[in-house]
Amino acid sequence: MAVFHHHHPSADLRRLFHRLTIASSLSILCFSLVYLLTGCCESELTENSEIKTPTRDFFGSGWSYERNGTVAQEVTADVGEGALSRHHGLEANSSGKEWTATRRLPQALIIGVKKGGTRALLEFLRLHPDVRALGSEPHFFDRHYARGLDWYRSMMPKALDGQIVMEKTPRYFVTVETPARVHAMSQDVKLIVVVRDPVTRAISDYTQIISKTPDIPPFENLAFKNRSTGQIDSLWSPLWIGLYAQHLERWLAWFPRTQIHLVSGERLISDPAGELGKVQDFLGLQRIVTDKHFYFNKTKGFPCLKKPEGSSKPHCLGKTKGRMHASIDPEVMQRLRDFYKPHNQRFYQMAGQDFGWQ
Ligand code: A3P
């Protein structure tokens, strides 16, 4: 009997031990799940709230372009992705879709033009939950092509199925080798060009150059080959970039006109929601970015973003966007207008629309 009495407690103990093992395994499993979920949400929130971080990737991409220290062409303007993406993140959570987020090559590119309003367009588009855009300019097709498509892909933010991955590098529009290279990556890529009166664009370009290198000669000296004969130096970069017809022609040798969308830089300022509506249509996106997102900031003199849900402040682009232009001799301005006139006419014909530049 005594033997039996000894047997029972040990069997009980074994059962207890067994149960304990199962219970602790289950709790470890639960903890891991909770850890994973909170970990994921935390990184999403911190990344989104850091609105001044140059490259924002709410899926926690790890190394951003700038952190890699490779090339940081521009600091992202003072505009945040804000609540829309966060909201989308939650939707993605409930459907469990975020686990399928991957890095893909871009399906859309803002290829130009420099000083056209490309930063504004990209930041406005980033409000759309189905857009995942790189904050910095990767300059892949013009400067870093030798690094290969895998490198380029690794620069992109992670995206879910159905989201459009994009980047902007305004120099693509004017670099001769770029259209063929973009075509070799994808024949279906959607291309966006923000164009602006080439005379104002040139002055904006010069204003940017002189802010970085204050010792350069006056605009008037650089714009002419010979001031007294009035012969324009069309190879001077600020003027050459404005020969839109010439640049567009190179792209049209590789892509159909329907695959290139032209945004009016002027209307992007006077009616941002209207221009954004057309861009969203072109990208096959729902019109989610609307006039509700913008307000006109009188101090800045430009449209800015209303405070996004969850953020306390409205956002304007940074100081280098929308700055005072150098004042240029009106006669020189007129000479430039005359110079661009035939080029603009040809561009309007190719574009199928009149941009109304003087
Ligand atoms: P200026 O600084 O000459 O006014 P990009 O981003 O391609 O370099 O273009 C810069 C230009 O974007 C600015 O040139 C400005 O005119 C224009 N822009 C368009 N929308 C803007 C906005 N909402 N805020 C600031 N600048 C804007």
Side-chain angles (χ1 to χ4, degrees):
M1 280 302 274
V3 177
F4 272 110
H5 275 131
H6 267 104
H7 248 97
H8 274 294
S10 100
D12 278 351
L13 264 175
R14 253 204 305 274
R15 259 199 300 275
L16 191 69
F17 183 70
H18 201 209
R19 274 182 202 152
L20 267 173
T21 318
I22 292 175
S24 57
S25 315
L26 272 175
S27 47
I28 288 173
L29 206 76
C30 282
F31 274 122
S32 319
L33 262 175
V34 168
Y35 178 82
L36 261 175
L37 285 172
T38 51
C40 147
C41 294
E42 246 170 48
S43 70
E44 196 178 290
L45 286 173
T46 31
E47 292 214 46
N48 265 324
S49 54
E50 271 185 39
I51 51 171
K52 281 186 181 166
T53 307
T55 316
R56 281 159 280 143
D57 182 346
F58 73 85
F59 289 104
S61 62
W63 294 104
S64 77
Y65 200 60
E66 280 75 11
R67 277 183 245 141
N68 263 335
T70 37
V71 208
Q73 293 302 320
E74 270 196 2
V75 177
T76 298
D78 187 11
V79 187
E81 257 179 316
L84 276 173
S85 333
R86 195 144 55 228
H87 175 62
H88 187 75
L90 291 176
E91 276 176 0
N93 256 344
S94 60
S95 64
K97 262 191 171 175
E98 81 270 40
W99 308 115
T100 64
T102 51
R103 277 181 224 291
R104 300 193 308 257
L105 290 168
Q107 294 122 291
L109 298 172
I110 298 177
I111 56 174
V113 299
K114 183 185 180 195
K115 305 322 290 171
T118 55
R119 173 59 57 190
L121 178 64
L122 189 79
E123 291 307 325
F124 297 166
L125 271 174
R126 290 178 106 183
L127 290 174
H128 200 293
D130 290 333
V131 170
R132 299 288 293 131
L134 186 61
S136 55
E137 296 176 4
H139 281 273
F140 173 64
F141 296 104
D142 58 332
R143 292 187 186 144
H144 304 294
Y145 195 59
R147 295 185 185 202
L149 281 174
D150 286 339
W151 174 83
Y152 187 43
R153 188 186 291 109
S154 75
M155 289 294 115
M156 294 301 144
K158 283 188 176 175
L160 302 169
D161 276 359
Q163 285 185 314
I164 292 181
V165 177
M166 59 191 301
E167 64 112 330
K168 77 121 176 159
T169 303
R171 202 162 163 269
Y172 291 163
F173 188 58
V174 298
T175 38
V176 176
E177 62 281 12
T178 304
R181 290 176 175 179
V182 172
H183 191 264
M185 173 190 74
S186 160
Q187 298 182 23
D188 306 317
V189 67
K190 293 184 175 175
L191 306 166
I192 300 172
V193 195
V194 190
V195 287
R196 177 184 186 186
D197 182 338
V199 178
T200 342
R201 199 220 66 82
I203 299 167
S204 171
D205 202 347
Y206 176 78
T207 308
Q208 174 162 306
I209 297 169
I210 205 164
S211 77
K212 291 179 182 165
T213 43
D215 294 337
I216 59 161
F219 181 93
E220 291 84 346
N221 293 14
L222 296 165
F224 293 99
K225 272 192 193 146
N226 184 331
R227 181 85 193 261
S228 47
T229 61
Q231 202 186 357
I232 297 282
D233 184 358
S234 61
L235 292 181
W236 181 44
S237 170
L239 297 184
W240 178 74
I241 292 174
L243 300 170
Y244 302 146
Q246 195 174 298
H247 305 303
L248 184 63
E249 200 159 51
R250 277 197 310 271
W251 286 89
L252 289 174
W254 291 93
F255 294 95
R257 175 68 190 84
T258 49
Q259 229 165 292
I260 305 174
H261 180 71
L262 302 170
V263 173
S264 155
E266 285 82 13
R267 281 200 302 267
L268 190 62
I269 297 169
S270 63
D271 177 19
E275 282 302 298
L276 260 286
K278 286 183 267 177
V279 175
Q280 290 169 96
D281 292 349
F282 171 69
L283 293 174
L285 293 167
Q286 250 184 296
R287 286 193 175 206
I288 287 180
V289 183
T290 63
D291 52 1
K292 289 191 191 74
H293 290 99
F294 303 99
Y295 76 100
F296 187 81
N297 184 310
K298 280 190 194 139
T299 323
K300 174 111 182 137
F302 282 90
C304 297
L305 295 174
K306 279 184 193 162
K307 65 169 190 184
E309 232 178 276
S311 161
S312 56
K313 280 185 193 156
H315 298 293
C316 292
L317 295 200
K319 285 195 192 84
T320 60
K321 304 295 174 185
R323 55 186 154 197
M324 280 279 287
H325 287 181
S327 72
I328 307 295
D329 180 342
E331 268 182 42
V332 173
M333 294 276 279
Q334 193 49 52
R335 178 70 196 89
L336 285 175
R337 300 211 176 284
D338 295 342
F339 165 75
Y340 276 117
K341 206 168 190 162
H343 296 283
N344 288 345
Q345 290 305 327
R346 194 158 84 88
F347 178 65
Y348 296 165
Q349 269 184 354
M350 291 165 81
Q353 56 181 302
D354 185 334
F355 287 87
W357 302 318
Q358 291 310 301

